[in-house]
Amino acid sequence: MSSPQVPEDGQGSGDSGDPSGDLRSVLVTSVLSLEPLDEDLFRGRHYWVPTTQRLFGGQIVGQALVAAAKSVSEDIYVHSLHCYFVRAGDPKVPVLYQVERTRTGSSFSVRSVKAVQHGKPIFIFQASFQQTQPSPVQHQFSMPAVPPPEELLDHQALIDQYLRDPNLKEKYRVGLNRIAAQEVPIEIKLVNPPTLSQLQRMEPKQMFWVRARGYIGEGDIKMHCCVAAYISDYAFLGTALLPHQWKHKVHFMVSLDHSMWFHAPFRADHWMLYECESPWAGGSRGLVHGRLWRRDGVLAVSCAQEGVIRVKPRVSESKL
């Protein structure tokens, strides 16, 4: 499939830019590779299942966008998507994606997707696609000034650093070891990672560099958008829990909805800065906003999500 090339956007030598020196990203070869069953009907399988044993929301969003994108012409690209998670996904069975061609216009086209398991919808999704239309009306916020990813510890090294701290309580040590054992198909480098003492007084904000593991290349812009949809749900809702994590233990936390707006071309296998913040939490729900920035300062994607957050008070270790 031919399409405009994604710009290199100044991402530098630290990115997965050489197909000869890196493996093809599993996000392309497995996670987002759907099996066609009929016209506008696809089957998706699972790669990584969180410790909750529920399907990862980012996988469902990414696969639904893959299905929707297959029903539009090559010259139009997704500019927004909105979706609801209506039932817990079962990681033991595949997901069926049913695409409805809601509208095909000269400039904009809308596609609706229903994800089904056991004969019932688990997820409903709508995406709008647009033909490229230049405009003199342009502006964006400025990207935060942060250290480049090459100067930061990767996720595994950061966890190892926490585990070496003799003051780390055993219950948190177990949790960190569980996180370290997960085979997640994305790389993360946290900006300004908190010390153990700072964890007790955090704001509902975080920033981290993120990219897909492996090589995707400059091919189809639509695939990079699908990979970004997968990435965007990782650790997103947890932003709302940051000020409360030392007082309360999560009993139940799931996404209710997810929205994305795509602003500029990007490479999902190049480092992007994910800026996340939670302006509000209450009523057993949390709201989070996110921005994905290219390294050259271009705002590529905006995200929003609300989720259920039910907690229990942490029991003091002095109690029997």
Side-chain angles (χ1 to χ4, degrees):
M1 179 184 295
S2 62
S3 65
Q5 300 294 294
V6 181
E8 286 294 327
D9 59 60
Q11 303 242 352
S13 60
D15 290 302
S16 305
D18 181 8
S20 63
D22 209 343
L23 295 174
R24 186 77 172 158
S25 174
V26 71
L27 284 169
V28 175
T29 61
S30 177
V31 180
L32 299 177
S33 180
L34 300 184
E35 177 188 359
L37 301 178
D38 201 343
E39 184 177 27
D40 295 338
L41 181 64
F42 304 89
R43 178 161 51 201
R45 302 189 182 275
H46 321 310
Y47 173 78
W48 172 69
V49 178
T51 55
T52 60
Q53 291 305 300
R54 295 183 180 89
L55 289 183
F56 174 49
Q59 172 192 296
I60 304 175
V61 178
Q63 289 182 340
L65 183 54
V66 169
K70 289 180 181 293
S71 70
V72 298
S73 61
E74 295 183 7
D75 60 342
I76 65 173
Y77 304 95
V78 64
H79 71 87
S80 70
L81 64 84
H82 307 276
C83 48
Y84 284 93
F85 301 90
V86 295
R87 286 184 178 86
D90 182 352
K92 296 186 291 295
V93 298
V95 180
L96 293 180
Y97 293 93
Q98 304 169 351
V99 180
E100 176 188 288
R101 305 189 183 208
T102 309
R103 180 179 185 271
T104 300
S106 58
S107 298
F108 291 88
S109 296
V110 176
R111 297 294 183 262
S112 302
V113 180
K114 182 164 60 176
V116 177
Q117 284 185 319
H118 303 296
K120 296 180 179 179
I122 63 168
F123 172 82
I124 51 178
F125 166 104
Q126 285 193 316
S128 181
F129 297 79
Q130 181 189 17
Q131 218 167 25
T132 303
Q133 297 177 345
S135 170
V137 180
Q138 296 185 33
H139 71 265
Q140 68 161 56
F141 285 175
S142 296
M143 176 178 170
V146 299
E150 292 79 14
E151 296 180 6
L152 301 174
L153 294 175
D154 63 31
H155 211 212
Q156 182 61 56
L158 181 59
I159 289 174
D160 291 344
Q161 185 181 82
Y162 284 135
L163 290 173
R164 287 194 300 269
D165 192 319
N167 296 318
L168 182 67
K169 296 177 181 178
E170 184 59 28
K171 60 183 177 181
Y172 302 120
R173 194 176 298 275
V174 171
L176 286 172
N177 277 314
R178 188 181 299 123
I179 293 171
Q182 296 177 352
E183 295 184 7
V184 184
I186 57 178
E187 296 179 75
I188 288 175
K189 291 191 175 185
L190 198 62
V191 175
N192 297 323
T195 63
L196 290 181
S197 61
Q198 290 172 334
L199 285 172
Q200 301 181 45
R201 52 180 188 278
M202 292 185 67
E203 291 187 70
K205 298 179 180 181
Q206 62 176 338
M207 289 188 287
F208 49 89
W209 292 99
V210 62
R211 68 178 177 185
R213 290 189 184 277
Y215 176 79
I216 298 175
E218 295 185 9
D220 191 354
I221 292 177
K222 292 175 183 175
M223 179 52 68
H224 286 277
C225 291
C226 295
V227 172
Y230 182 99
I231 289 173
S232 68
D233 191 42
Y234 189 77
F236 195 27
L237 185 56
T239 309
L241 197 63
L242 292 177
H244 315 286
Q245 58 189 346
W246 282 73
K247 292 182 180 179
H248 300 93
K249 182 178 180 179
V250 175
H251 172 58
F252 183 77
M253 185 166 73
V254 296
S255 306
L256 287 171
D257 57 31
H258 193 79
S259 295
M260 300 180 71
W261 297 265
F262 299 86
H263 312 306
F266 58 90
R267 291 255 320 244
D269 57 350
H270 282 180
W271 288 114
M272 291 193 292
L273 180 68
Y274 201 6
E275 179 188 10
C276 307
E277 60 183 6
S278 173
W280 175 88
S284 294
R285 303 190 318 278
L287 176 67
V288 285
H289 295 158
R291 301 184 185 99
L292 275 167
W293 300 90
R294 290 188 343 206
R295 284 190 71 162
D296 60 355
V298 171
L299 180 59
V301 185
S302 297
C303 312
Q305 184 180 98
E306 189 175 47
V308 176
I309 303 177
R310 296 184 182 131
V311 299
K312 294 180 177 179
R314 289 195 181 275
V315 178
S316 171
E317 295 199 347
S318 62
K319 296 181 180 179
L320 296 178

